[in-house]
Amino acid sequence: MEKKNSNEKKQYATGLVLSGGGARGFAHIGALKALEESGIKPDIISGVSAGAIIGVLYADGYSVNEIIEIFSSIKFGDFAEITVPRSGFFKMEGFRKFLKKILRAERFEDLQCPLMITATDLDHGKSISFNRGPIIDIVCASCCIPVIFNPIKIDNIHYVDGGVFRNFPVKPIRHLCNTIIGINVNPLVTNEYKQTIINIAERAYSFMFKSNSFEDIKLCDILVQTNETTQYNIFDINSLNEIVDFGYKDTIAILQSLKIPIK
């Protein structure tokens, strides 16, 4: 396999990139399990949306099994509170409370593993990656699907889902790492869909997220794409175990086929 990196020693040996994808992001948990069993531990993590959630928990020191346990008893209603539609149908107060309760670290600087989280600056139309400061608002912003959720205001700027511009945030850490492992749970697969408002909106967002991932995919040294996860919609949090299993199996298969030592 052709390597994308040079012989120059970078700040980090191994970077792990976790894409967005809603409930499909549970596949990241399985991928982390597979990497651990192969003796691979990331030196830095870059995540967006669902990848930001799994990434921050892992960077905060939670084990794979602990992350699975955290999400085993959670429903969508625990995260989102319906509101009078103005800038979104739901508020993220439930999700904010969840993060405040579960996270040990309050700032990026306090995490056990360096973390980069990508969100979209809605006011100025650009992608922003954060690696410093308070964590919770930034994770909420990275997960804030436009129209579904109210935008998150940080320092007088409105932010929404980082996947709008970059649903697979490899570029923010590419220059920092000798090797990049990318887990893309939202690959370009055109499944059948229902003619409902939710399914049409989800499909439109999905195409947007997939199309802006092409360039970042090319920047990976090792790429795992979980094609099976596209059968689940982005709110299907009841399929946790099945999605985790797909992430695990697909990552093991890629690692075994490549036989590339990471460190």
Short mmCIF file of all heavy atoms in Angstrom, two decimals, residues 160-203:
data_model
loop_
_atom_site.label_atom_id
_atom_site.label_comp_id
_atom_site.label_asym_id
_atom_site.label_seq_id
_atom_site.Cartn_x
_atom_site.Cartn_y
_atom_site.Cartn_z
N VAL A 160 -22.98 24.76 13.63
CA VAL A 160 -23.79 23.57 13.38
C VAL A 160 -22.86 22.40 13.05
O VAL A 160 -21.63 22.53 13.08
CB VAL A 160 -24.80 23.79 12.23
CG1 VAL A 160 -25.84 24.84 12.62
CG2 VAL A 160 -24.09 24.18 10.94
N ASP A 161 -23.46 21.29 12.70
CA ASP A 161 -22.76 20.03 12.42
C ASP A 161 -21.52 20.23 11.54
O ASP A 161 -21.60 20.82 10.46
CB ASP A 161 -23.74 19.08 11.71
CG ASP A 161 -23.27 17.64 11.69
OD1 ASP A 161 -22.07 17.41 11.45
OD2 ASP A 161 -24.10 16.74 11.91
N GLY A 162 -20.39 19.73 12.01
CA GLY A 162 -19.16 19.85 11.24
C GLY A 162 -19.19 19.12 9.92
O GLY A 162 -18.40 19.41 9.01
N GLY A 163 -20.13 18.17 9.79
CA GLY A 163 -20.23 17.41 8.55
C GLY A 163 -20.72 18.21 7.36
O GLY A 163 -20.60 17.76 6.21
N VAL A 164 -21.25 19.40 7.60
CA VAL A 164 -21.72 20.24 6.49
C VAL A 164 -20.58 20.51 5.51
O VAL A 164 -20.77 20.48 4.29
CB VAL A 164 -22.31 21.57 7.02
CG1 VAL A 164 -22.59 22.53 5.88
CG2 VAL A 164 -23.58 21.30 7.83
N PHE A 165 -19.38 20.78 6.02
CA PHE A 165 -18.22 21.01 5.17
C PHE A 165 -17.21 19.86 5.19
O PHE A 165 -16.52 19.62 4.21
CB PHE A 165 -17.48 22.29 5.59
CG PHE A 165 -18.13 23.55 5.12
CD1 PHE A 165 -18.54 24.51 6.04
CD2 PHE A 165 -18.33 23.80 3.77
CE1 PHE A 165 -19.14 25.69 5.62
CE2 PHE A 165 -18.92 24.97 3.34
CZ PHE A 165 -19.34 25.93 4.27
N ARG A 166 -17.12 19.16 6.33
CA ARG A 166 -16.08 18.13 6.44
C ARG A 166 -16.58 17.00 7.35
O ARG A 166 -16.45 17.06 8.57
CB ARG A 166 -14.78 18.74 6.98
CG ARG A 166 -13.68 17.74 7.23
CD ARG A 166 -12.30 18.38 7.26
NE ARG A 166 -11.77 18.53 5.91
CZ ARG A 166 -11.41 19.69 5.38
NH1 ARG A 166 -11.49 20.79 6.08
NH2 ARG A 166 -10.94 19.74 4.14
N ASN A 167 -17.18 15.97 6.74
CA ASN A 167 -17.73 14.87 7.52
C ASN A 167 -16.71 13.78 7.81
O ASN A 167 -17.03 12.79 8.46
CB ASN A 167 -18.94 14.25 6.79
CG ASN A 167 -19.80 13.44 7.74
OD1 ASN A 167 -20.19 13.92 8.80
ND2 ASN A 167 -20.11 12.20 7.36
N PHE A 168 -15.49 13.98 7.33
CA PHE A 168 -14.42 13.01 7.59
C PHE A 168 -13.13 13.81 7.81
O PHE A 168 -12.33 13.98 6.90
CB PHE A 168 -14.28 12.06 6.39
CG PHE A 168 -13.48 10.82 6.65
CD1 PHE A 168 -13.48 10.20 7.89
CD2 PHE A 168 -12.74 10.25 5.63
CE1 PHE A 168 -12.74 9.05 8.12
CE2 PHE A 168 -12.01 9.10 5.85
CZ PHE A 168 -12.01 8.49 7.09
N PRO A 169 -12.94 14.35 9.02
CA PRO A 169 -11.91 15.37 9.26
C PRO A 169 -10.47 14.86 9.35
O PRO A 169 -9.85 14.88 10.42
CB PRO A 169 -12.37 15.99 10.59
CG PRO A 169 -13.03 14.86 11.30
CD PRO A 169 -13.73 14.06 10.23
N VAL A 170 -9.98 14.41 8.20
CA VAL A 170 -8.58 13.95 8.13
C VAL A 170 -7.63 15.15 8.02
O VAL A 170 -6.60 15.22 8.70
CB VAL A 170 -8.37 13.01 6.94
CG1 VAL A 170 -6.90 12.56 6.86
CG2 VAL A 170 -9.29 11.80 7.02
N LYS A 171 -7.98 16.10 7.17
CA LYS A 171 -7.09 17.23 6.90
C LYS A 171 -6.64 17.99 8.16
O LYS A 171 -5.48 18.40 8.23
CB LYS A 171 -7.76 18.20 5.92
CG LYS A 171 -6.81 19.29 5.42
CD LYS A 171 -7.47 20.16 4.36
CE LYS A 171 -6.51 21.24 3.87
NZ LYS A 171 -7.15 22.11 2.85
N PRO A 172 -7.52 18.19 9.16
CA PRO A 172 -7.09 18.95 10.34
C PRO A 172 -5.89 18.35 11.08
O PRO A 172 -5.18 19.07 11.77
CB PRO A 172 -8.34 18.95 11.22
CG PRO A 172 -9.47 18.88 10.26
CD PRO A 172 -8.98 17.95 9.19
N ILE A 173 -5.66 17.02 10.95
CA ILE A 173 -4.53 16.41 11.66
C ILE A 173 -3.52 15.74 10.72
O ILE A 173 -2.52 15.20 11.20
CB ILE A 173 -4.98 15.40 12.74
CG1 ILE A 173 -5.70 14.20 12.11
CG2 ILE A 173 -5.85 16.09 13.78
CD1 ILE A 173 -5.89 13.05 13.09
N ARG A 174 -3.77 15.79 9.42
CA ARG A 174 -2.87 15.09 8.49
C ARG A 174 -1.42 15.54 8.62
O ARG A 174 -0.49 14.73 8.64
CB ARG A 174 -3.37 15.31 7.05
CG ARG A 174 -2.47 14.78 5.94
CD ARG A 174 -2.40 13.26 5.86
NE ARG A 174 -1.36 12.68 6.69
CZ ARG A 174 -1.04 11.39 6.69
NH1 ARG A 174 -1.70 10.55 5.91
NH2 ARG A 174 -0.10 10.93 7.48
N HIS A 175 -1.21 16.84 8.75
CA HIS A 175 0.14 17.39 8.83
C HIS A 175 0.83 17.09 10.16
O HIS A 175 2.05 17.27 10.29
CB HIS A 175 0.12 18.91 8.61
CG HIS A 175 -0.61 19.66 9.69
ND1 HIS A 175 -1.98 19.58 9.88
CD2 HIS A 175 -0.15 20.50 10.66
CE1 HIS A 175 -2.33 20.34 10.89
NE2 HIS A 175 -1.23 20.91 11.39
N LEU A 176 0.05 16.61 11.13
CA LEU A 176 0.60 16.34 12.46
C LEU A 176 1.03 14.88 12.65
O LEU A 176 1.73 14.57 13.61
CB LEU A 176 -0.43 16.68 13.53
CG LEU A 176 -0.93 18.13 13.61
CD1 LEU A 176 -2.08 18.24 14.61
CD2 LEU A 176 0.21 19.06 14.00
N CYS A 177 0.61 14.00 11.74
CA CYS A 177 0.75 12.55 11.96
C CYS A 177 1.54 11.84 10.88
O CYS A 177 1.39 12.13 9.69
CB CYS A 177 -0.63 11.91 12.05
SG CYS A 177 -1.71 12.63 13.31
N ASN A 178 2.34 10.88 11.31
CA ASN A 178 3.04 10.02 10.34
C ASN A 178 2.06 9.06 9.67
O ASN A 178 2.17 8.78 8.48
CB ASN A 178 4.15 9.23 11.05
CG ASN A 178 5.34 10.10 11.39
OD1 ASN A 178 5.73 10.96 10.62
ND2 ASN A 178 5.92 9.89 12.56
N THR A 179 1.14 8.51 10.44
CA THR A 179 0.17 7.55 9.91
C THR A 179 -1.23 7.96 10.32
O THR A 179 -1.48 8.30 11.48
CB THR A 179 0.45 6.13 10.44
OG1 THR A 179 1.76 5.73 10.04
CG2 THR A 179 -0.56 5.13 9.90
N ILE A 180 -2.16 7.92 9.36
CA ILE A 180 -3.56 8.23 9.63
C ILE A 180 -4.41 6.98 9.39
O ILE A 180 -4.37 6.38 8.31
CB ILE A 180 -4.08 9.36 8.73
CG1 ILE A 180 -3.42 10.69 9.07
CG2 ILE A 180 -5.60 9.47 8.83
CD1 ILE A 180 -3.93 11.35 10.33
N ILE A 181 -5.18 6.61 10.40
CA ILE A 181 -6.19 5.56 10.27
C ILE A 181 -7.55 6.24 10.25
O ILE A 181 -7.89 6.98 11.19
CB ILE A 181 -6.13 4.57 11.44
CG1 ILE A 181 -4.74 3.93 11.55
CG2 ILE A 181 -7.20 3.48 11.28
CD1 ILE A 181 -4.54 3.09 12.79
N GLY A 182 -8.31 6.03 9.20
CA GLY A 182 -9.62 6.66 9.09
C GLY A 182 -10.75 5.65 9.15
O GLY A 182 -10.68 4.61 8.48
N ILE A 183 -11.77 5.94 9.96
CA ILE A 183 -12.95 5.09 10.05
C ILE A 183 -14.14 5.89 9.51
O ILE A 183 -14.59 6.84 10.14
CB ILE A 183 -13.24 4.64 11.50
CG1 ILE A 183 -11.97 4.16 12.20
CG2 ILE A 183 -14.33 3.58 11.51
CD1 ILE A 183 -11.35 2.92 11.60
N ASN A 184 -14.60 5.52 8.34
CA ASN A 184 -15.70 6.23 7.69
C ASN A 184 -16.97 5.38 7.77
O ASN A 184 -17.08 4.36 7.08
CB ASN A 184 -15.35 6.52 6.23
CG ASN A 184 -16.43 7.32 5.52
OD1 ASN A 184 -17.29 7.93 6.18
ND2 ASN A 184 -16.42 7.31 4.20
N VAL A 185 -17.91 5.79 8.61
CA VAL A 185 -19.13 5.00 8.80
C VAL A 185 -20.25 5.47 7.88
O VAL A 185 -21.38 4.99 7.97
CB VAL A 185 -19.60 5.06 10.27
CG1 VAL A 185 -18.51 4.57 11.20
CG2 VAL A 185 -20.06 6.47 10.65
N ASN A 186 -19.94 6.41 6.99
CA ASN A 186 -20.96 6.97 6.11
C ASN A 186 -20.49 6.94 4.65
O ASN A 186 -20.48 7.97 3.97
CB ASN A 186 -21.24 8.42 6.52
CG ASN A 186 -22.69 8.80 6.34
OD1 ASN A 186 -23.58 8.03 6.62
ND2 ASN A 186 -22.94 10.02 5.88
N PRO A 187 -20.09 5.75 4.15
CA PRO A 187 -19.58 5.66 2.77
C PRO A 187 -20.68 5.90 1.75
O PRO A 187 -21.87 5.88 2.08
CB PRO A 187 -19.04 4.24 2.69
CG PRO A 187 -19.86 3.47 3.66
CD PRO A 187 -20.13 4.43 4.80
N LEU A 188 -20.27 6.12 0.50
CA LEU A 188 -21.23 6.44 -0.56
C LEU A 188 -21.89 5.16 -1.07
O LEU A 188 -21.38 4.46 -1.92
CB LEU A 188 -20.53 7.16 -1.71
CG LEU A 188 -21.43 7.65 -2.84
CD1 LEU A 188 -22.51 8.58 -2.29
CD2 LEU A 188 -20.61 8.39 -3.90
N VAL A 189 -23.05 4.86 -0.51
CA VAL A 189 -23.85 3.70 -0.92
C VAL A 189 -25.28 4.18 -1.12
O VAL A 189 -25.84 4.86 -0.25
CB VAL A 189 -23.82 2.58 0.14
CG1 VAL A 189 -24.72 1.42 -0.29
CG2 VAL A 189 -22.39 2.10 0.36
N THR A 190 -25.88 3.86 -2.24
CA THR A 190 -27.23 4.35 -2.54
C THR A 190 -28.26 3.26 -2.28
O THR A 190 -28.64 2.50 -3.17
CB THR A 190 -27.33 4.83 -4.00
OG1 THR A 190 -26.89 3.77 -4.87
CG2 THR A 190 -26.46 6.04 -4.22
N ASN A 191 -28.71 3.17 -1.06
CA ASN A 191 -29.74 2.20 -0.68
C ASN A 191 -31.12 2.73 -1.05
O ASN A 191 -31.30 3.92 -1.33
CB ASN A 191 -29.69 1.93 0.83
CG ASN A 191 -28.39 1.25 1.24
OD1 ASN A 191 -27.80 0.53 0.45
ND2 ASN A 191 -27.97 1.49 2.46
N GLU A 192 -32.12 1.85 -1.00
CA GLU A 192 -33.50 2.28 -1.19
C GLU A 192 -33.92 3.11 0.02
O GLU A 192 -33.35 2.99 1.10
CB GLU A 192 -34.42 1.07 -1.35
CG GLU A 192 -34.17 0.26 -2.63
CD GLU A 192 -35.16 -0.88 -2.78
OE1 GLU A 192 -36.04 -1.01 -1.90
OE2 GLU A 192 -35.05 -1.62 -3.76
N TYR A 193 -34.91 3.97 -0.17
CA TYR A 193 -35.36 4.81 0.92
C TYR A 193 -36.86 5.06 0.79
O TYR A 193 -37.45 4.86 -0.27
CB TYR A 193 -34.62 6.14 0.92
CG TYR A 193 -34.91 7.02 -0.29
CD1 TYR A 193 -35.78 8.10 -0.19
CD2 TYR A 193 -34.34 6.76 -1.53
CE1 TYR A 193 -36.07 8.89 -1.28
CE2 TYR A 193 -34.61 7.55 -2.63
CZ TYR A 193 -35.47 8.61 -2.51
OH TYR A 193 -35.75 9.39 -3.60
N LYS A 194 -37.48 5.48 1.89
CA LYS A 194 -38.92 5.74 1.92
C LYS A 194 -39.20 7.20 1.59
O LYS A 194 -38.40 8.08 1.90
CB LYS A 194 -39.47 5.41 3.31
CG LYS A 194 -39.33 3.94 3.69
CD LYS A 194 -39.85 3.69 5.10
CE LYS A 194 -39.68 2.24 5.50
NZ LYS A 194 -40.15 1.99 6.90
N GLN A 195 -40.35 7.44 0.98
CA GLN A 195 -40.74 8.80 0.61
C GLN A 195 -41.43 9.48 1.80
O GLN A 195 -42.62 9.80 1.77
CB GLN A 195 -41.67 8.76 -0.61
CG GLN A 195 -40.99 8.34 -1.89
CD GLN A 195 -40.05 9.41 -2.41
OE1 GLN A 195 -40.31 10.60 -2.27
NE2 GLN A 195 -38.96 9.00 -3.03
N THR A 196 -40.65 9.70 2.85
CA THR A 196 -41.14 10.41 4.01
C THR A 196 -40.24 11.61 4.26
O THR A 196 -39.10 11.65 3.77
CB THR A 196 -41.14 9.52 5.27
OG1 THR A 196 -39.78 9.17 5.59
CG2 THR A 196 -41.95 8.25 5.04
N ILE A 197 -40.72 12.58 5.03
CA ILE A 197 -39.94 13.79 5.28
C ILE A 197 -38.60 13.45 5.92
O ILE A 197 -37.54 13.94 5.49
CB ILE A 197 -40.73 14.77 6.19
CG1 ILE A 197 -41.95 15.32 5.44
CG2 ILE A 197 -39.84 15.91 6.66
CD1 ILE A 197 -42.85 16.18 6.31
N ILE A 198 -38.63 12.60 6.94
CA ILE A 198 -37.40 12.25 7.65
C ILE A 198 -36.42 11.52 6.73
O ILE A 198 -35.22 11.85 6.70
CB ILE A 198 -37.71 11.38 8.88
CG1 ILE A 198 -38.48 12.18 9.92
CG2 ILE A 198 -36.43 10.83 9.48
CD1 ILE A 198 -37.70 13.35 10.50
N ASN A 199 -36.91 10.55 5.97
CA ASN A 199 -36.02 9.77 5.11
C ASN A 199 -35.45 10.60 3.96
O ASN A 199 -34.29 10.44 3.59
CB ASN A 199 -36.76 8.54 4.56
CG ASN A 199 -36.83 7.41 5.56
OD1 ASN A 199 -35.94 6.59 5.65
ND2 ASN A 199 -37.91 7.38 6.32
N ILE A 200 -36.26 11.49 3.41
CA ILE A 200 -35.77 12.35 2.33
C ILE A 200 -34.72 13.32 2.86
O ILE A 200 -33.66 13.52 2.24
CB ILE A 200 -36.94 13.11 1.67
CG1 ILE A 200 -37.84 12.13 0.90
CG2 ILE A 200 -36.41 14.19 0.73
CD1 ILE A 200 -39.13 12.74 0.40
N ALA A 201 -35.00 13.93 4.02
CA ALA A 201 -34.03 14.86 4.62
C ALA A 201 -32.74 14.13 4.97
O ALA A 201 -31.64 14.63 4.69
CB ALA A 201 -34.63 15.50 5.86
N GLU A 202 -32.87 12.95 5.56
CA GLU A 202 -31.69 12.17 5.94
C GLU A 202 -30.85 11.82 4.71
O GLU A 202 -29.63 11.91 4.71
CB GLU A 202 -32.10 10.89 6.66
CG GLU A 202 -30.90 10.04 7.05
CD GLU A 202 -31.30 8.64 7.50
OE1 GLU A 202 -32.50 8.34 7.55
OE2 GLU A 202 -30.38 7.85 7.76
N ARG A 203 -31.53 11.43 3.63
CA ARG A 203 -30.82 11.05 2.40
C ARG A 203 -30.10 12.25 1.79
O ARG A 203 -28.95 12.15 1.35
CB ARG A 203 -31.81 10.47 1.39
CG ARG A 203 -31.16 9.83 0.15
CD ARG A 203 -32.23 9.12 -0.65
NE ARG A 203 -31.70 8.49 -1.85
CZ ARG A 203 -31.13 7.30 -1.88
NH1 ARG A 203 -30.97 6.62 -0.77
NH2 ARG A 203 -30.70 6.78 -3.02
#
